[in-house]
Amino acid sequence: TARQMLETAKEKNVNLVIPVDVKMADQFSDLAYTEAVDVDAIPDDMMGLDIGPATAIVYAEAIEGAKTVFWNGPMGVFEMPSFEGGTRAVAEAVANNKAADTIIGGGDSVAAVNKFGLADQMTFISTGGGASMELVQGELLPGVEALK
């Protein structure tokens, strides 16, 4: 699926930005041993729990030049301080782009911007992440249709 998405983006001349590194850990714990590695270098006994610092920079640069940002889903396990860096970097980049319309969709994304004190800097926030994705894909939503 990922390969097909990359091919489709290339065919349509769309710059699809994907992670280049990840913050890995030896356990699902804020006290875990962590290290940033390339996305294809995670050993079998480790797990990726956040985007890495290089990816955070790439994402922030992409967000900086955007006219519209639609964000659905955190970058990692932002509830643990050891793995909040990627989500914080993205949230701050979205908040700092004052020229863009910024739409935050989904309960976890909303929780993240609230945790970092940035909710008041977003254009629109919705806890309906799945519904928001369906709406921008052009699908009909029963609740919206009923209002018509």
Side-chain angles (χ1 to χ4, degrees):
T1 301
R3 190 172 291 117
Q4 180 59 45
M5 288 175 64
L6 290 170
E7 290 172 13
T8 301
K10 186 176 181 178
E11 290 168 8
K12 296 184 182 243
N13 200 27
V14 171
N15 183 24
L16 181 60
V17 185
I18 59 174
V20 294
D21 66 340
V22 63
K23 189 170 187 181
M24 65 177 188
D26 62 348
Q27 58 181 312
F28 191 78
S29 167
D30 200 32
L31 304 175
Y33 163 79
T34 65
E35 183 179 345
V37 297
D38 289 344
V39 292
D40 57 357
I42 304 172
D44 290 341
D45 61 341
M46 301 287 276
M47 62 186 89
L49 296 179
D50 194 7
I51 58 171
T55 300
I57 291 168
V58 170
Y59 285 6
E61 288 173 350
I63 292 165
E64 181 181 10
K67 293 179 183 174
T68 303
V69 178
F70 189 94
W71 178 21
N72 180 280
M75 303 299 110
V77 186
F78 72 94
E79 298 88 347
M80 293 183 199
S82 294
F83 309 109
E84 73 178 14
T87 301
R88 180 184 291 275
V90 168
E92 289 174 349
V94 173
N96 289 335
N97 186 343
K98 303 298 184 200
D101 288 320
T102 54
I103 299 101
I104 312 304
D108 288 334
S109 302
V110 173
V113 296
N114 282 324
K115 175 181 180 179
F116 304 134
L118 300 170
D120 63 335
Q121 297 178 54
M122 307 302 167
T123 305
F124 183 78
I125 295 178
S126 170
T127 57
S132 298
M133 294 297 290
E134 290 173 7
L135 183 64
V136 298
Q137 292 175 62
E139 296 180 28
L140 300 178
L141 300 179
V144 174
E145 291 304 305
L147 294 173
K148 292 180 179 178

PDB file of all heavy atoms in Angstrom, residues 22-49:
ATOM      1  N   VAL A  22      13.431   7.431  13.117  1.00  0.00           N
ATOM      2  CA  VAL A  22      12.464   7.097  14.151  1.00  0.00           C
ATOM      3  C   VAL A  22      13.181   7.051  15.497  1.00  0.00           C
ATOM      4  O   VAL A  22      14.373   6.750  15.566  1.00  0.00           O
ATOM      5  CB  VAL A  22      11.791   5.736  13.834  1.00  0.00           C
ATOM      6  CG1 VAL A  22      12.793   4.602  13.837  1.00  0.00           C
ATOM      7  CG2 VAL A  22      10.660   5.442  14.784  1.00  0.00           C
ATOM      8  N   LYS A  23      12.454   7.384  16.547  1.00  0.00           N
ATOM      9  CA  LYS A  23      12.987   7.218  17.900  1.00  0.00           C
ATOM     10  C   LYS A  23      12.518   5.857  18.374  1.00  0.00           C
ATOM     11  O   LYS A  23      11.326   5.618  18.533  1.00  0.00           O
ATOM     12  CB  LYS A  23      12.482   8.319  18.828  1.00  0.00           C
ATOM     13  CG  LYS A  23      13.171   8.313  20.180  1.00  0.00           C
ATOM     14  CD  LYS A  23      12.815   9.558  20.969  1.00  0.00           C
ATOM     15  CE  LYS A  23      13.624   9.644  22.251  1.00  0.00           C
ATOM     16  NZ  LYS A  23      13.247  10.838  23.029  1.00  0.00           N
ATOM     17  N   MET A  24      13.472   4.960  18.548  1.00  0.00           N
ATOM     18  CA  MET A  24      13.125   3.596  18.950  1.00  0.00           C
ATOM     19  C   MET A  24      13.387   3.412  20.442  1.00  0.00           C
ATOM     20  O   MET A  24      14.104   4.181  21.065  1.00  0.00           O
ATOM     21  CB  MET A  24      13.924   2.574  18.143  1.00  0.00           C
ATOM     22  CG  MET A  24      15.396   2.608  18.373  1.00  0.00           C
ATOM     23  SD  MET A  24      16.228   1.317  17.434  1.00  0.00           S
ATOM     24  CE  MET A  24      17.882   1.475  18.101  1.00  0.00           C
ATOM     25  N   ALA A  25      12.760   2.367  20.982  1.00  0.00           N
ATOM     26  CA  ALA A  25      12.891   2.074  22.412  1.00  0.00           C
ATOM     27  C   ALA A  25      12.903   0.571  22.614  1.00  0.00           C
ATOM     28  O   ALA A  25      12.390  -0.189  21.792  1.00  0.00           O
ATOM     29  CB  ALA A  25      11.748   2.702  23.186  1.00  0.00           C
ATOM     30  N   ASP A  26      13.474   0.162  23.737  1.00  0.00           N
ATOM     31  CA  ASP A  26      13.532  -1.272  24.038  1.00  0.00           C
ATOM     32  C   ASP A  26      12.305  -1.756  24.797  1.00  0.00           C
ATOM     33  O   ASP A  26      12.127  -2.958  24.979  1.00  0.00           O
ATOM     34  CB  ASP A  26      14.804  -1.617  24.815  1.00  0.00           C
ATOM     35  CG  ASP A  26      14.909  -0.943  26.179  1.00  0.00           C
ATOM     36  OD1 ASP A  26      14.112  -0.010  26.460  1.00  0.00           O
ATOM     37  OD2 ASP A  26      15.790  -1.344  26.961  1.00  0.00           O
ATOM     38  N   GLN A  27      11.443  -0.818  25.229  1.00  0.00           N
ATOM     39  CA  GLN A  27      10.205  -1.192  25.914  1.00  0.00           C
ATOM     40  C   GLN A  27       9.213  -0.037  25.840  1.00  0.00           C
ATOM     41  O   GLN A  27       9.602   1.103  25.601  1.00  0.00           O
ATOM     42  CB  GLN A  27      10.466  -1.578  27.373  1.00  0.00           C
ATOM     43  CG  GLN A  27      11.133  -0.484  28.188  1.00  0.00           C
ATOM     44  CD  GLN A  27      11.408  -0.886  29.619  1.00  0.00           C
ATOM     45  OE1 GLN A  27      10.515  -1.413  30.282  1.00  0.00           O
ATOM     46  NE2 GLN A  27      12.618  -0.655  30.093  1.00  0.00           N
ATOM     47  N   PHE A  28       7.951  -0.360  26.017  1.00  0.00           N
ATOM     48  CA  PHE A  28       6.894   0.657  25.997  1.00  0.00           C
ATOM     49  C   PHE A  28       6.833   1.292  27.374  1.00  0.00           C
ATOM     50  O   PHE A  28       5.983   0.970  28.194  1.00  0.00           O
ATOM     51  CB  PHE A  28       5.555   0.008  25.614  1.00  0.00           C
ATOM     52  CG  PHE A  28       4.478   1.003  25.305  1.00  0.00           C
ATOM     53  CD1 PHE A  28       4.443   1.651  24.087  1.00  0.00           C
ATOM     54  CD2 PHE A  28       3.501   1.292  26.238  1.00  0.00           C
ATOM     55  CE1 PHE A  28       3.449   2.565  23.794  1.00  0.00           C
ATOM     56  CE2 PHE A  28       2.494   2.208  25.964  1.00  0.00           C
ATOM     57  CZ  PHE A  28       2.477   2.852  24.733  1.00  0.00           C
ATOM     58  N   SER A  29       7.772   2.193  27.619  1.00  0.00           N
ATOM     59  CA  SER A  29       7.900   2.823  28.932  1.00  0.00           C
ATOM     60  C   SER A  29       8.630   4.145  28.777  1.00  0.00           C
ATOM     61  O   SER A  29       9.528   4.278  27.935  1.00  0.00           O
ATOM     62  CB  SER A  29       8.687   1.909  29.873  1.00  0.00           C
ATOM     63  OG  SER A  29       9.081   2.605  31.048  1.00  0.00           O
ATOM     64  N   ASP A  30       8.258   5.108  29.593  1.00  0.00           N
ATOM     65  CA  ASP A  30       8.939   6.390  29.590  1.00  0.00           C
ATOM     66  C   ASP A  30      10.375   6.248  30.074  1.00  0.00           C
ATOM     67  O   ASP A  30      11.207   7.122  29.846  1.00  0.00           O
ATOM     68  CB  ASP A  30       8.164   7.377  30.474  1.00  0.00           C
ATOM     69  CG  ASP A  30       8.509   8.817  30.158  1.00  0.00           C
ATOM     70  OD1 ASP A  30       8.813   9.121  28.981  1.00  0.00           O
ATOM     71  OD2 ASP A  30       8.476   9.652  31.072  1.00  0.00           O
ATOM     72  N   LEU A  31      10.691   5.140  30.730  1.00  0.00           N
ATOM     73  CA  LEU A  31      12.035   4.888  31.253  1.00  0.00           C
ATOM     74  C   LEU A  31      12.875   4.021  30.319  1.00  0.00           C
ATOM     75  O   LEU A  31      13.978   3.604  30.679  1.00  0.00           O
ATOM     76  CB  LEU A  31      11.937   4.224  32.633  1.00  0.00           C
ATOM     77  CG  LEU A  31      11.130   5.001  33.681  1.00  0.00           C
ATOM     78  CD1 LEU A  31      11.000   4.196  34.965  1.00  0.00           C
ATOM     79  CD2 LEU A  31      11.758   6.362  33.949  1.00  0.00           C
ATOM     80  N   ALA A  32      12.392   3.765  29.132  1.00  0.00           N
ATOM     81  CA  ALA A  32      13.055   2.879  28.181  1.00  0.00           C
ATOM     82  C   ALA A  32      14.368   3.467  27.688  1.00  0.00           C
ATOM     83  O   ALA A  32      14.576   4.678  27.692  1.00  0.00           O
ATOM     84  CB  ALA A  32      12.138   2.626  26.990  1.00  0.00           C
ATOM     85  N   TYR A  33      15.224   2.579  27.227  1.00  0.00           N
ATOM     86  CA  TYR A  33      16.409   3.001  26.483  1.00  0.00           C
ATOM     87  C   TYR A  33      15.908   3.471  25.123  1.00  0.00           C
ATOM     88  O   TYR A  33      15.105   2.784  24.473  1.00  0.00           O
ATOM     89  CB  TYR A  33      17.394   1.833  26.311  1.00  0.00           C
ATOM     90  CG  TYR A  33      18.407   2.086  25.232  1.00  0.00           C
ATOM     91  CD1 TYR A  33      19.503   2.909  25.472  1.00  0.00           C
ATOM     92  CD2 TYR A  33      18.243   1.544  23.957  1.00  0.00           C
ATOM     93  CE1 TYR A  33      20.428   3.171  24.472  1.00  0.00           C
ATOM     94  CE2 TYR A  33      19.171   1.802  22.954  1.00  0.00           C
ATOM     95  CZ  TYR A  33      20.255   2.620  23.212  1.00  0.00           C
ATOM     96  OH  TYR A  33      21.163   2.874  22.216  1.00  0.00           O
ATOM     97  N   THR A  34      16.338   4.648  24.670  1.00  0.00           N
ATOM     98  CA  THR A  34      15.890   5.175  23.384  1.00  0.00           C
ATOM     99  C   THR A  34      17.081   5.573  22.528  1.00  0.00           C
ATOM    100  O   THR A  34      18.167   5.886  23.038  1.00  0.00           O
ATOM    101  CB  THR A  34      14.981   6.408  23.558  1.00  0.00           C
ATOM    102  OG1 THR A  34      15.736   7.468  24.137  1.00  0.00           O
ATOM    103  CG2 THR A  34      13.782   6.086  24.440  1.00  0.00           C
ATOM    104  N   GLU A  35      16.839   5.562  21.230  1.00  0.00           N
ATOM    105  CA  GLU A  35      17.858   5.984  20.277  1.00  0.00           C
ATOM    106  C   GLU A  35      17.171   6.321  18.957  1.00  0.00           C
ATOM    107  O   GLU A  35      16.200   5.656  18.573  1.00  0.00           O
ATOM    108  CB  GLU A  35      18.862   4.843  20.068  1.00  0.00           C
ATOM    109  CG  GLU A  35      20.009   5.171  19.159  1.00  0.00           C
ATOM    110  CD  GLU A  35      20.991   4.001  19.000  1.00  0.00           C
ATOM    111  OE1 GLU A  35      20.942   3.038  19.800  1.00  0.00           O
ATOM    112  OE2 GLU A  35      21.787   4.060  18.066  1.00  0.00           O
ATOM    113  N   ALA A  36      17.656   7.327  18.276  1.00  0.00           N
ATOM    114  CA  ALA A  36      17.128   7.673  16.959  1.00  0.00           C
ATOM    115  C   ALA A  36      17.939   6.935  15.900  1.00  0.00           C
ATOM    116  O   ALA A  36      19.170   6.950  15.935  1.00  0.00           O
ATOM    117  CB  ALA A  36      17.196   9.172  16.730  1.00  0.00           C
ATOM    118  N   VAL A  37      17.219   6.284  14.985  1.00  0.00           N
ATOM    119  CA  VAL A  37      17.864   5.541  13.899  1.00  0.00           C
ATOM    120  C   VAL A  37      17.080   5.763  12.606  1.00  0.00           C
ATOM    121  O   VAL A  37      15.930   6.201  12.628  1.00  0.00           O
ATOM    122  CB  VAL A  37      17.936   4.018  14.200  1.00  0.00           C
ATOM    123  CG1 VAL A  37      18.797   3.746  15.425  1.00  0.00           C
ATOM    124  CG2 VAL A  37      16.556   3.423  14.368  1.00  0.00           C
ATOM    125  N   ASP A  38      17.700   5.426  11.480  1.00  0.00           N
ATOM    126  CA  ASP A  38      16.990   5.479  10.205  1.00  0.00           C
ATOM    127  C   ASP A  38      15.784   4.548  10.263  1.00  0.00           C
ATOM    128  O   ASP A  38      15.805   3.534  10.965  1.00  0.00           O
ATOM    129  CB  ASP A  38      17.906   5.050   9.055  1.00  0.00           C
ATOM    130  CG  ASP A  38      18.987   6.072   8.756  1.00  0.00           C
ATOM    131  OD1 ASP A  38      18.880   7.229   9.205  1.00  0.00           O
ATOM    132  OD2 ASP A  38      19.962   5.704   8.055  1.00  0.00           O
ATOM    133  N   VAL A  39      14.738   4.880   9.504  1.00  0.00           N
ATOM    134  CA  VAL A  39      13.498   4.102   9.563  1.00  0.00           C
ATOM    135  C   VAL A  39      13.699   2.634   9.222  1.00  0.00           C
ATOM    136  O   VAL A  39      12.956   1.785   9.699  1.00  0.00           O
ATOM    137  CB  VAL A  39      12.388   4.689   8.668  1.00  0.00           C
ATOM    138  CG1 VAL A  39      11.906   6.013   9.190  1.00  0.00           C
ATOM    139  CG2 VAL A  39      12.830   4.786   7.232  1.00  0.00           C
ATOM    140  N   ASP A  40      14.709   2.329   8.437  1.00  0.00           N
ATOM    141  CA  ASP A  40      14.930   0.936   8.050  1.00  0.00           C
ATOM    142  C   ASP A  40      15.997   0.246   8.894  1.00  0.00           C
ATOM    143  O   ASP A  40      16.492  -0.818   8.538  1.00  0.00           O
ATOM    144  CB  ASP A  40      15.294   0.848   6.566  1.00  0.00           C
ATOM    145  CG  ASP A  40      16.523   1.669   6.202  1.00  0.00           C
ATOM    146  OD1 ASP A  40      17.072   2.368   7.079  1.00  0.00           O
ATOM    147  OD2 ASP A  40      16.933   1.604   5.033  1.00  0.00           O
ATOM    148  N   ALA A  41      16.308   0.823  10.044  1.00  0.00           N
ATOM    149  CA  ALA A  41      17.370   0.269  10.887  1.00  0.00           C
ATOM    150  C   ALA A  41      16.898  -0.097  12.296  1.00  0.00           C
ATOM    151  O   ALA A  41      17.701  -0.150  13.226  1.00  0.00           O
ATOM    152  CB  ALA A  41      18.528   1.264  10.968  1.00  0.00           C
ATOM    153  N   ILE A  42      15.606  -0.365  12.464  1.00  0.00           N
ATOM    154  CA  ILE A  42      15.107  -0.739  13.786  1.00  0.00           C
ATOM    155  C   ILE A  42      15.356  -2.235  13.998  1.00  0.00           C
ATOM    156  O   ILE A  42      14.824  -3.058  13.253  1.00  0.00           O
ATOM    157  CB  ILE A  42      13.597  -0.446  13.924  1.00  0.00           C
ATOM    158  CG1 ILE A  42      13.298   1.023  13.632  1.00  0.00           C
ATOM    159  CG2 ILE A  42      13.111  -0.812  15.328  1.00  0.00           C
ATOM    160  CD1 ILE A  42      11.820   1.338  13.557  1.00  0.00           C
ATOM    161  N   PRO A  43      16.143  -2.599  15.012  1.00  0.00           N
ATOM    162  CA  PRO A  43      16.368  -4.023  15.281  1.00  0.00           C
ATOM    163  C   PRO A  43      15.078  -4.715  15.728  1.00  0.00           C
ATOM    164  O   PRO A  43      14.139  -4.070  16.209  1.00  0.00           O
ATOM    165  CB  PRO A  43      17.386  -4.014  16.432  1.00  0.00           C
ATOM    166  CG  PRO A  43      17.941  -2.637  16.492  1.00  0.00           C
ATOM    167  CD  PRO A  43      16.896  -1.727  15.910  1.00  0.00           C
ATOM    168  N   ASP A  44      15.044  -6.024  15.571  1.00  0.00           N
ATOM    169  CA  ASP A  44      13.853  -6.804  15.922  1.00  0.00           C
ATOM    170  C   ASP A  44      13.464  -6.678  17.392  1.00  0.00           C
ATOM    171  O   ASP A  44      12.286  -6.830  17.731  1.00  0.00           O
ATOM    172  CB  ASP A  44      14.066  -8.283  15.582  1.00  0.00           C
ATOM    173  CG  ASP A  44      14.094  -8.529  14.093  1.00  0.00           C
ATOM    174  OD1 ASP A  44      13.608  -7.655  13.326  1.00  0.00           O
ATOM    175  OD2 ASP A  44      14.605  -9.576  13.670  1.00  0.00           O
ATOM    176  N   ASP A  45      14.431  -6.393  18.275  1.00  0.00           N
ATOM    177  CA  ASP A  45      14.122  -6.324  19.704  1.00  0.00           C
ATOM    178  C   ASP A  45      13.791  -4.898  20.169  1.00  0.00           C
ATOM    179  O   ASP A  45      13.691  -4.639  21.363  1.00  0.00           O
ATOM    180  CB  ASP A  45      15.286  -6.887  20.527  1.00  0.00           C
ATOM    181  CG  ASP A  45      16.583  -6.115  20.340  1.00  0.00           C
ATOM    182  OD1 ASP A  45      16.716  -5.388  19.329  1.00  0.00           O
ATOM    183  OD2 ASP A  45      17.476  -6.232  21.202  1.00  0.00           O
ATOM    184  N   MET A  46      13.591  -3.984  19.221  1.00  0.00           N
ATOM    185  CA  MET A  46      13.255  -2.600  19.540  1.00  0.00           C
ATOM    186  C   MET A  46      11.944  -2.236  18.845  1.00  0.00           C
ATOM    187  O   MET A  46      11.484  -2.941  17.960  1.00  0.00           O
ATOM    188  CB  MET A  46      14.366  -1.648  19.074  1.00  0.00           C
ATOM    189  CG  MET A  46      15.730  -1.944  19.699  1.00  0.00           C
ATOM    190  SD  MET A  46      15.845  -1.462  21.427  1.00  0.00           S
ATOM    191  CE  MET A  46      16.246   0.252  21.273  1.00  0.00           C
ATOM    192  N   MET A  47      11.337  -1.107  19.258  1.00  0.00           N
ATOM    193  CA  MET A  47      10.101  -0.639  18.627  1.00  0.00           C
ATOM    194  C   MET A  47      10.186   0.865  18.392  1.00  0.00           C
ATOM    195  O   MET A  47      10.814   1.589  19.163  1.00  0.00           O
ATOM    196  CB  MET A  47       8.896  -0.978  19.505  1.00  0.00           C
ATOM    197  CG  MET A  47       8.908  -0.324  20.871  1.00  0.00           C
ATOM    198  SD  MET A  47       7.569  -0.855  21.955  1.00  0.00           S
ATOM    199  CE  MET A  47       8.356  -2.261  22.717  1.00  0.00           C
ATOM    200  N   GLY A  48       9.561   1.315  17.314  1.00  0.00           N
ATOM    201  CA  GLY A  48       9.512   2.740  17.021  1.00  0.00           C
ATOM    202  C   GLY A  48       8.355   3.377  17.772  1.00  0.00           C
ATOM    203  O   GLY A  48       7.216   2.947  17.627  1.00  0.00           O
ATOM    204  N   LEU A  49       8.643   4.412  18.579  1.00  0.00           N
ATOM    205  CA  LEU A  49       7.599   5.044  19.384  1.00  0.00           C
ATOM    206  C   LEU A  49       7.435   6.536  19.107  1.00  0.00           C
ATOM    207  O   LEU A  49       6.589   7.184  19.713  1.00  0.00           O
ATOM    208  CB  LEU A  49       7.860   4.803  20.874  1.00  0.00           C
ATOM    209  CG  LEU A  49       7.800   3.338  21.318  1.00  0.00           C
ATOM    210  CD1 LEU A  49       8.088   3.220  22.810  1.00  0.00           C
ATOM    211  CD2 LEU A  49       6.456   2.719  20.991  1.00  0.00           C
TER     212      LEU A  49
END
